[in-house]
Amino acid sequence: MRAMFFDRYGEPDVLHLRDVPVPQPQDGEVLIRVGYAGVNPADSKARSGQSARGGYRYRDVNFPFVTGMDAAGVVERTGPNVTDFRQGDRVITWSEADGKTWGSYADFMRVSARHVSPMPKSLNFAQAAAVPVASLTAFQALFHAEKGGMIPGQKVLIHGASGGVGSFAVQLAKSGGVLVAATCGTANVAYVRTLGADRVIDYKTEDVSRAVRDWSTEGFGCRAGRRGTRYCASGLRHAPARRPPGQHPHRNRRW
């Protein structure tokens, strides 16, 4: 198979196309013929060495290495004890991101069956390849018990709502019954409205802190990176919800 390798950290010119043997799926793994590979910031961070220097996801990679976290393709072969997928299934997947397992910049990709999902029928391979990491990041931020824990009726502020993670976050939040305020630039206001946001804030023309306070007069807690921290510091107050007896504490966090 063809694969895009790098054997040292550096700029994009360290990437080289090589012919290598097709990997064989092991116990609990799936071999996928890659139709399209998604491109994520983490890919360039791995290639440049930024991940290794910063300890992001993994501290170092085993050279030579094939990066790439997202992919959409077709199941070529399954390893022992894989029962949910069979040859010919159209799927999406994401890599282990452990610095050892090769990623999606190749004709074939070997992954754990736990990282494979059926490809949405409404998408083509090019569209589906952009789904796994961005959608999973958004879902975990909103609903993972230890990270988000949002419940219906709560309010969330989503920054960068027109981007990859942000656009998924708006739609997932709305599907989960969460009220959404979303920030974006002027050119993307109409688009973010189509995603279902209850309040779209144009950060280029509006005071975001004031807009959020007006939208959520009872207070608004946020945990949305650098921008979110700055807006909280400029006057937004945290308003934790009261939780029913016995409910996991993280499931009532507003951010």
Side-chain angles (χ1 to χ4, degrees), residues 137-144 148-150 156 158 168-170 172-173 255:
T137 301
F139 182 86
Q140 289 183 333
L142 290 165
F143 300 115
H144 190 286
M150 301 297 295
V156 63
I158 298 172
F168 276 112
V170 172
L172 290 170
W255 54 278

Side-chain angles (χ1 to χ4, degrees), residues 233-253:
S234 63
L236 301 179
R237 60 189 176 86
H238 184 63
R242 293 186 177 89
R243 67 177 183 275
Q247 183 167 315
H248 193 291
H250 291 289
R251 292 193 181 277
N252 273 319
R253 179 185 297 149

Side-chain angles (χ1 to χ4, degrees), residues 107-194:
D107 288 330
F108 292 92
M109 183 181 184
R110 177 174 62 89
V111 296
S112 168
R114 296 181 296 105
H115 291 185
V116 182
S117 295
M119 192 175 102
K121 294 181 180 179
S122 60
L123 302 180
N124 59 39
F125 286 115
Q127 294 167 331
V131 170
V133 171
S135 63
L136 183 61
T137 301
F139 182 86
Q140 289 183 333
L142 290 165
F143 300 115
H144 190 286
E146 298 296 332
K147 298 178 181 179
M150 301 297 295
I151 60 176
Q154 288 188 314
K155 294 182 176 181
V156 63
L157 171 63
I158 298 172
H159 290 297
S162 62
V165 174
S167 59
F168 276 112
V170 172
Q171 296 173 83
L172 290 170
K174 291 303 298 177
S175 70
V178 176
L179 300 174
V180 176
T183 67
C184 64
T186 307
N188 293 311
V189 167
Y191 166 64
V192 174
R193 286 199 180 110
T194 68

Side-chain angles (χ1 to χ4, degrees), residues 9-91:
Y9 297 125
E11 297 301 316
D13 59 6
V14 302
L15 294 169
H16 298 285
L17 190 65
R18 297 182 186 174
D19 289 319
V20 295
V22 175
Q24 299 302 308
Q26 305 301 307
D27 185 41
E29 293 183 336
V30 177
L31 180 68
I32 297 170
R33 181 185 292 271
V34 176
Y36 276 82
V39 178
N40 288 280
D43 302 339
S44 62
K45 290 178 180 178
R47 183 260 305 151
S48 68
Q50 184 177 347
S51 295
R53 292 190 298 271
Y56 171 75
R57 295 289 290 174
Y58 43 79
R59 295 189 179 278
D60 215 336
V61 302
N62 291 349
F63 295 125
F65 189 68
V66 178
T67 190
M69 297 186 69
D70 282 337
V74 177
V75 174
E76 181 75 10
R77 194 176 305 125
T78 60
N81 297 314
V82 175
T83 59
D84 294 334
F85 302 99
R86 61 184 180 181
Q87 186 178 28
D89 286 349
R90 294 156 62 96
V91 296

